[in-house]
Amino acid sequence: MQEKKKQENLWALNKYLSLQSIQSIATFISPSYFILAFMTPKECYLRAGLIHQEVCKKIKLFVKPGVSFLELARKIESDIAEYSDASLAFPVNIQVNNEVHYSPLPDDTRVLTKDDLVKVDIGVHVNGYIADGAFSV
């Protein structure tokens, strides 16, 4: 059913724009823009969730003693930025021991220690549809 709707949307787009004009627009706009334009809300949620899962898997290996809070937050942000169709949904939250919702500032010098219980909260959005989750190490 969704495939049929996509085909109808493509047909309507072709009706109003010639293929040549679409190709000229595509040279100035990222191809992922066109993919996002035809994704259903469910597909956006699923894509955001998949990206969130992949980023969390990579970051779990990076959370260790000696890593600064700022370094960790920047790593998460850069990993999300590798996906052209996704963005950070909210600032990265690094919660250590009894702290809640801490986001490091650019001049932050705090570093993780071996006795810290660390919770990392990450939000990813695709076309405005958010996947939010956290993990503890």
Side-chain angles (χ1 to χ4, degrees), residues 37-52:
F38 294 106
M39 288 176 70
T40 65
K42 181 179 179 180
E43 290 169 329
C44 290
Y45 277 124
L46 291 171
R47 178 72 179 144
L50 178 65
I51 293 168
H52 186 277

Side-chain angles (χ1 to χ4, degrees), residues 65-121:
V67 174
S68 75
F69 285 39
L70 187 57
E71 192 178 359
L72 178 59
R74 285 184 174 162
K75 173 79 170 128
I76 293 166
E77 291 169 1
S78 69
D79 282 359
I80 293 171
E82 289 177 8
Y83 298 90
S84 62
D85 56 344
S87 298
L88 193 64
F90 52 80
V92 173
N93 288 298
I94 302 168
Q95 301 159 37
V96 178
N97 303 323
N98 293 328
E99 287 184 74
V100 290
H101 296 290
Y102 181 80
S103 296
L105 297 173
D107 60 348
D108 196 310
T109 58
R110 294 178 61 191
V111 176
L112 297 174
T113 66
K114 69 179 181 105
D115 295 325
D116 287 336
L117 174 60
V118 182
K119 181 177 131 191
V120 179
D121 189 357

Side-chain angles (χ1 to χ4, degrees), residues 21-34:
S21 65
I22 291 173
Q23 289 172 338
S24 65
I25 291 169
T27 61
F28 297 103
I29 301 175
S30 166
S32 65
Y33 170 80
F34 291 103

